[in-house]
Amino acid sequence: MYRIISAIAGYYRFFVNGRAAERVLNRLMTINADIFDIERINENEITFSAGVIHYKKIKHVLDEMRSVGIKYRTVLRGFPEVLYRYRKRTGLVIGIFLSCALIWASSLFIWTVEIRGLVSVTDETMREMLSDAGLYEGKRISDINFDDIRFELINRYPEISYATFFISGTHALVSISERAFPPDTSKNNDPYNLVAKCDGVIVDSAVSDGMTMVKSGEFVRKGDLLVSGIVELQTTAYKTVHAKGSVFAKTVHEFSVTVPFESHEKVYTGNEAVKRRLEILDFSVPLYLSSDCGFGKYEAYKRTENVILFDLIRLPFRLTETSFAEYKTPLIYLTPEKAENKAYDMYKEYIKNELSEREIVKEEISVNEEEKGITFKAVIWCIEDIAEEKAFLSEEYDEP
């Protein structure tokens, strides 16, 4: 931060030489002079920088050390140097002053809004609400009433318990706290059956509530009743409950894929092109002449970042960079062995994605080589919990 201020206000670069040059830094430490960019050129020469407010104090020390052989010279650097160098170019100087004025004016407005903590409300919906309440990109900071915005948020969305606003330069961070609602227990008291979610042969069951309607070794189809939520009482009456438990069955799954010996595959060439756009609020300015990237086939990746000046001031601009990666689809030839390996890899991926939560007890795999490719087929027997809840229909029971 000190360097940024020095660059704007101006600073001096000191070039010191002499046999006692190494003593200069120690002497400056005793007067608490803020120096930076210290560099030792050789045994008898050093350079360093200091802000203009410390110039006279440092110069006085160096003048006193002339008696021990110290020599020095200074060079003005920073913004004042630029103005002096171009003092005769009136238009440029005026342009610099206008740019500084625009930068200062832009610091009075919100140029970026970041929202954190959203779960039940989408980012787009929240931005629309904030805009309606008076917080949006381009809004003057002094005109924003954060208490009103917070009140509007909480009243419009019951899911939100509180909102906190942080302003850093021209960046607004909105931190949302959502309510922790107690779990909905009403479903636990409603009458439910357990039905089969797929075909299978029953092997075991573990039921905590309800009446088991199937036995081990029995074949059931998808939708068949497994555990009833209607329970018979000792008084020959009935009551309805929320059936709970697990019913395990042996199920069958099939996998089939054909891998051709000849196929077109995506291969990246390594050629890339980049096009940039400058976004100012709702306006977009292309920084390129042609929108065509020059590739026949490509994948595009977009990245957007805010323009920040001096790592401090967020300007009202976004730089959107789109990268284009060229690829081709040449004809690839596979041997029967490689085609079979590829099919087997696809089968393993299927097992990982579709059957990872099931216990596989048996597999039957067949591989057939045909004229144009390899046909891979697999039959997989699994043990899994096939019970799923199903609410009662009104005609299925009468209240006791």
Side-chain angles (χ1 to χ4, degrees):
M1 186 65 182
Y2 177 75
R3 296 188 182 188
I4 295 175
I5 296 174
S6 297
I8 297 174
Y11 65 94
Y12 282 92
R13 187 69 178 169
F14 289 83
F15 299 85
V16 182
N17 61 74
R19 293 183 178 180
E22 60 183 16
R23 295 166 50 189
V24 171
L25 297 179
N26 294 332
R27 180 72 176 86
L28 293 178
M29 294 299 178
T30 62
I31 62 172
N32 295 322
D34 290 326
I35 59 177
F36 55 91
D37 290 342
I38 302 171
E39 183 179 357
R40 183 180 296 275
I41 306 301
N42 53 51
E43 185 177 345
N44 297 320
E45 187 175 358
I46 60 172
T47 66
F48 58 87
S49 300
V52 293
I53 58 175
H54 298 287
Y55 174 73
K56 290 185 178 181
K57 184 164 51 173
I58 296 174
K59 184 177 182 298
H60 179 70
V61 171
L62 294 176
D63 287 339
E64 287 182 345
M65 297 185 70
R66 285 183 184 274
S67 59
V68 293
I70 289 297
K71 296 180 181 180
Y72 72 93
R73 61 186 178 88
T74 61
V75 177
L76 179 64
R77 297 282 175 84
F79 189 61
E81 177 202 7
V82 175
L83 291 180
Y84 180 79
R85 186 187 308 168
Y86 297 103
R87 63 189 183 281
K88 295 183 180 181
R89 301 177 64 176
T90 308
L92 180 60
V93 174
I94 293 175
I96 292 174
F97 275 110
L98 287 177
S99 298
C100 293
L102 288 174
I103 292 173
W104 172 82
S106 70
S107 67
L108 305 177
F109 297 84
I110 292 294
W111 297 123
T112 56
V113 178
E114 180 184 357
I115 304 174
R116 295 181 184 176
L118 294 180
V119 176
S120 57
V121 183
T122 64
D123 185 86
E124 182 179 356
T125 301
M126 182 57 61
R127 287 185 182 275
E128 291 179 359
M129 201 293 304
L130 289 172
S131 179
D132 293 341
L135 178 58
Y136 50 85
E137 296 174 349
K139 179 72 173 182
R140 188 180 176 91
I141 297 175
S142 59
D143 294 338
I144 301 175
N145 190 319
F146 294 105
D147 290 334
D148 288 348
I149 297 174
R150 183 181 296 108
F151 180 80
E152 180 72 16
L153 274 175
I154 295 173
N155 277 273
R156 183 174 296 191
Y157 296 104
E159 302 93 336
I160 297 176
S161 63
Y162 200 71
T164 307
F165 304 91
F166 303 93
I167 304 298
S168 176
T170 59
H171 178 68
L173 171 61
V174 184
S175 181
I176 303 297
S177 299
E178 297 194 353
R179 300 181 189 276
F181 291 100
D184 183 11
T185 59
S186 60
K187 179 181 177 181
N188 295 330
N189 299 321
D190 294 337
Y192 274 77
N193 290 326
L194 295 182
V195 300
K197 60 183 178 183
C198 62
D199 297 350
V201 177
I202 305 299
V203 295
D204 197 6
S205 62
V207 177
S208 58
D209 282 306
M211 182 178 294
T212 304
M213 307 300 292
V214 292
K215 298 179 180 180
S216 179
E218 183 178 347
F219 176 78
V220 295
R221 295 190 178 278
K222 181 179 180 180
D224 285 353
L225 180 63
L226 303 177
V227 180
S228 174
I230 302 176
V231 179
E232 183 179 359
L233 302 178
Q234 293 180 349
T235 59
T236 68
Y238 294 87
K239 73 171 183 177
T240 58
V241 298
H242 185 143
K244 298 177 184 178
S246 298
V247 179
F248 298 95
K250 179 180 290 187
T251 59
V252 179
H253 302 268
E254 296 183 354
F255 173 83
S256 178
V257 66
T258 298
V259 178
F261 294 138
E262 298 180 3
S263 63
H264 292 276
E265 294 190 4
K266 182 186 293 185
V267 178
Y268 290 95
T269 65
N271 297 326
E272 294 186 352
V274 178
K275 294 186 179 296
R276 298 176 176 85
R277 301 180 68 89
L278 192 64
E279 298 179 357
I280 308 173
L281 297 180
D282 294 331
F283 301 96
S284 181
V285 180
L287 303 180
Y288 48 83
L289 298 178
S290 173
S291 59
D292 185 11
C293 66
F295 301 144
K297 297 179 180 180
Y298 59 86
E299 285 189 356
Y301 307 91
K302 184 179 290 186
R303 181 173 64 91
T304 301
E305 62 181 14
N306 294 101
V307 179
I308 304 177
L309 185 64
F310 304 132
D311 292 328
L312 180 66
I313 302 175
R314 293 176 181 258
L315 298 181
F317 314 125
R318 287 192 184 92
L319 187 63
T320 298
E321 184 178 275
T322 304
S323 301
F324 301 88
E326 183 187 31
Y327 68 85
K328 295 182 179 180
T329 54
L331 188 61
I332 303 297
Y333 298 91
L334 299 177
T335 64
E337 182 181 0
K338 289 185 177 180
E340 182 177 343
N341 290 338
K342 184 176 180 180
Y344 190 76
D345 290 340
M346 296 170 69
Y347 170 62
K348 288 298 184 182
E349 191 68 20
Y350 167 78
I351 295 292
K352 177 182 176 182
N353 295 332
E354 303 295 333
L355 305 180
S356 60
E357 296 182 357
R358 298 167 174 84
E359 178 188 355
I360 298 177
V361 295
K362 184 180 178 182
E363 296 175 85
E364 285 187 1
I365 297 175
S366 63
V367 179
N368 296 318
E369 181 178 341
E370 301 173 351
E371 180 181 356
K372 293 185 178 181
I374 292 292
T375 298
F376 183 102
K377 294 183 179 180
V379 181
I380 310 104
W381 283 266
C382 302
I383 301 296
E384 61 180 295
D385 181 7
I386 65 171
E388 67 176 358
E389 295 180 349
K390 182 180 180 182
F392 276 42
L393 299 177
S394 58
E395 62 270 14
E396 288 185 295
Y397 73 99
D398 294 323
E399 292 288 351

